[in-house]
Amino acid sequence: MNDTDAALVCFSGGQDSTTCLFWAKKRFERVEALCFTYGQKHVLEAGVARKIADRAQTPFHLMDISQLAHLSPNSLTDSSIEMDMEAPPGGYPNTFVPGRNLVFLTFAAILARSRQIFHLVTGVSEADFSGYPDCRDTFIRSLNVTLNLAMDEQFVIHTPLMNRDKCEVWRLADELGVFETVRTQTLTCYNGIPADGCGHCPACRLRREGLEKYLRLRPYKQNQV
């Protein structure tokens, strides 16, 4: 029988997935976290994710799919490639790892099915700067149908950040009571530096800009309550 009160979160230990983890814990009785190693340069990611999951008393799974790093050149897995600071005209920045979310969610569904979990949670967002094709709502909806057909199950993929920019992600973390956890314990930086990160890579700049915008709005919002 399907466990309608359980969810599996695709969890990297970054700002978005950590916010999603606590979002899920507010909504589901049983939550588990799945982290992937895929040959990413910042090897600290899995350790950060495990620590956050442990503190949140959430069962943690680690899956190695490092062969993904060898299938397509990108700056997140190949240290010889200098990271794009902006997307080239008409294309994607070389921080795009083709097929990553497709693979993550497919493996997540396989693991979830074995554990009688049929709700999957991922932190993808169309509002992010990059516009990666595997972060689009149309892709998620399509994959949801495909997974259900492939395994004859009724998975539901939840994307609580889909229409939120980084300022709104900070707001959600604050509403969930984990603002400081997200600010001080997560690893978003493409160069593998926790918390505020390197301050220069695209992920750090996006995170910082969202935080600064939210902190400007935060006192006003609190005064209106």
Side-chain angles (χ1 to χ4, degrees), residues 17-27 52 56 176 178 181:
S17 67
T18 300
T19 303
C20 285
L21 178 71
F22 287 97
W23 177 91
K25 287 179 71 68
K26 290 283 190 180
R27 286 161 176 78
I52 295 171
L176 293 168
V178 293
T181 295

Side-chain angles (χ1 to χ4, degrees), residues 43-83:
V43 293
L44 292 176
E45 184 175 285
V48 169
R50 185 184 293 276
K51 287 180 181 178
I52 295 171
D54 287 346
R55 289 170 185 150
Q57 299 182 315
T58 302
F60 180 81
H61 308 274
L62 183 63
M63 189 176 295
D64 181 11
I65 53 170
S66 53
Q67 62 270 30
L68 188 63
H70 307 297
L71 297 178
S72 180
N74 65 85
S75 62
L76 293 192
T77 61
D78 188 340
S79 57
S80 70
I81 299 176
E82 185 176 351
M83 188 180 301

